Amino acid sequence: MTNKISVSLDLKNFIIANEPTITKQDFETLYENAKRDTNLTGDDVGTLTILLLKYVNPLKDLKYVPEYFLQGAKLDSYTISDHITEIFSNAFFNCDIKTIFIPKSVTSINDCAFMLASNTEIIYEGTEKDFDNIDIAPGNDVLDDRDKITYQGL
């Protein structure tokens, strides 16, 4: 157990020191190497994912949230970066994220992006009218339940 804790602390310090220069590819490499080198399984992988997401934005070089990005993730909240314009299919599939913040920059949400994410509250940066202009594909039931969406725009 001590080995996992020290590895996690070393990884955390490395990420904090290098966050401004870590790309999506670096993020994926860090994640896979840390998973392999520490023999993490189950909840430990979830903890590592949360640690990485806390200090690194793997989407900083992208204009979209990729497929299966946070599939099955368990988080209190996740904020989609304000340069993102599209959320790909299954990006938040079966996630257990209490709150997801969607920026006004999002113009398209692909099919099943929020499939099986029914316990998630959505906070949208814009108005309800702005939200209605987003091209939302089928299979996003949480987005159809307007009681689960909070609009921040005026």
Side-chain angles (χ1 to χ4, degrees):
M1 190 63 139
T2 304
N3 185 29
K4 286 186 181 181
I5 292 171
S6 65
V7 168
S8 292
L9 290 175
D10 290 344
L11 180 61
K12 177 181 175 181
N13 292 334
F14 174 81
I15 291 169
I16 292 168
N18 294 285
E19 192 280 331
T21 60
I22 295 176
T23 65
K24 180 181 181 291
Q25 185 175 355
D26 294 334
F27 173 84
E28 290 171 353
T29 302
L30 273 170
Y31 179 80
E32 290 305 318
N33 288 344
K35 200 165 69 169
R36 183 191 69 238
D37 295 345
T38 59
N39 297 315
L40 296 176
T41 58
D43 288 338
D44 292 330
V45 173
T47 301
L48 176 61
T49 302
I50 292 166
L51 173 67
L52 289 170
L53 288 173
K54 185 173 181 181
Y55 296 102
V56 178
N57 179 3
L59 305 178
K60 70 180 178 184
D61 298 327
L62 301 176
K63 294 285 184 196
Y64 58 87
V65 177
E67 288 185 295
Y68 300 103
F69 176 62
L70 288 179
Q71 174 187 0
K74 295 180 181 181
L75 300 167
D76 284 334
S77 67
Y78 184 75
T79 300
I80 298 171
S81 300
D82 62 5
H83 65 278
I84 298 294
T85 59
E86 184 172 6
I87 301 173
F88 282 8
S89 299
N90 302 302
F92 297 96
F93 175 80
N94 197 30
C95 71
D96 185 9
I97 302 174
K98 292 178 184 162
T99 307
I100 297 178
F101 297 87
I102 300 177
K104 195 173 173 180
S105 60
V106 171
T107 59
S108 177
I109 300 174
N110 295 351
D111 60 307
C112 304
F114 291 92
M115 185 174 195
L116 300 178
S118 58
N119 293 326
T120 299
E121 176 191 8
I122 302 295
I123 298 180
Y124 179 66
E125 179 183 40
T127 64
E128 186 171 3
K129 184 177 178 183
D130 296 330
F131 189 82
D132 288 339
N133 289 325
I134 298 174
D135 181 17
I136 301 174
N140 291 295
D141 296 341
V142 72
L143 301 178
D144 293 333
D145 185 353
R146 295 301 173 108
D147 290 338
K148 291 195 172 208
I149 302 173
T150 302
Y151 305 96
Q152 292 185 323
L154 300 174

